[in-house]
């Protein structure tokens, strides 16, 4: 089973992340916090609130590391949602092409139907950029939608009121996740 190696201030909250998740397998992932996280030119910054765009967290797949915004420690449900999202970036990286294509097809059906809204802030931001299937922006959107859907599915309800995707699409995504990961997954 996957283990998260967290700093002492995160330990109790990180231990709660496993509730309701499928079995996750992989090398340990280190989890830490830094204050005032921003992203600029593909780099994660801390303590530079006027440079870049504010972010809740960042994942470093090759380093097996997640960095969370320090302020999240005070907001348990949001912290869990963000941590779930970040863990599923590791799942996405090891998912395999067949399963990725299945999820892409699910989103393409939503796109053709004109579905509005999303299940999280990061996928909503990417969707607002009007990505077209097959483009670089679309691939970024698909990854964020995957991770936001995972967080929404396994959090057992929204962490915030920013979830705006119609329930019929939510149900289809949730059913795909439950079928795909019923026996667990690699991350």
């Amino acid at each position: 089973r996957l283990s998260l190696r967290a700093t002492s201030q995160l330990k109790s909250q990180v231990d709660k992340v496993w509730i309701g998740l499928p079995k996750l397998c992989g090398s340990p992932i280190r989890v830490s916090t830094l204050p005032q996280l921003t992203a600029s030119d593909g780099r994660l910054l801390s303590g530079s609130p006027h440079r870049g765009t504010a972010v809740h967290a960042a994942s470093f797949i090759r380093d097996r590391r997640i960095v969370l915004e320090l302020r999240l420690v005070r907001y348990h449900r949001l912290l869990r949602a963000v941590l779930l999202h970040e863990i599923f970036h590791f799942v996405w990286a090891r998912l395999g092409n067949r399963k990725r294509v299945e999820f892409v097809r699910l989103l393409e059906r939503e796109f053709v139907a004109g579905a509005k809204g999303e299940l999280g802030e990061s996928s909503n931001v990417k969707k607002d950029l009007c990505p077209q299937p097959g483009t670089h922006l679309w691939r970024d959107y698909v990854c964020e939608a995957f991770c936001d859907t995972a967080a929404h599915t396994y959090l057992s309800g929204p962490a915030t009121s920013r979830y705006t995707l119609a329930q019929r699409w939510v149900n289809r995504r949730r059913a795909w996740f439950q079928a795909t990961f019923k026996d667990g997954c690699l991350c």
Side-chain angles (χ1 to χ4, degrees), residues 77-133:
R77 191 163 175 80
L78 183 58
L79 172 68
R80 185 163 185 253
V82 170
L83 188 54
L84 285 171
H85 174 104
E86 296 304 319
I87 288 169
F88 273 84
H89 275 293
F90 292 84
V91 173
W92 180 254
R94 299 195 54 194
L95 189 58
N97 289 334
R98 188 172 64 81
K99 292 297 179 186
R100 283 187 191 189
V101 168
E102 285 178 15
F103 190 74
V104 166
R105 297 289 180 253
L106 192 67
L107 296 180
E108 286 173 344
R109 285 192 292 279
E110 292 178 16
F111 181 81
V112 168
K116 305 289 183 219
E118 258 311 323
L119 293 177
E121 186 175 348
S122 51
S123 56
N124 201 49
V125 166
K126 298 290 184 183
K127 193 174 196 175
D128 284 348
L129 296 174
C130 300
Q132 297 297 311

Side-chain angles (χ1 to χ4, degrees), residues 84 119 147-158 163 167 170 174:
L84 285 171
L119 293 177
C147 296
D148 280 344
T149 302
H152 187 273
T153 298
Y154 299 120
L155 188 61
S156 302
Y163 301 98
Q167 192 61 47
V170 173
R174 183 176 289 134

Side-chain angles (χ1 to χ4, degrees), residues 10 17 115 139 184:
L10 284 173
V17 78
R139 287 188 296 277

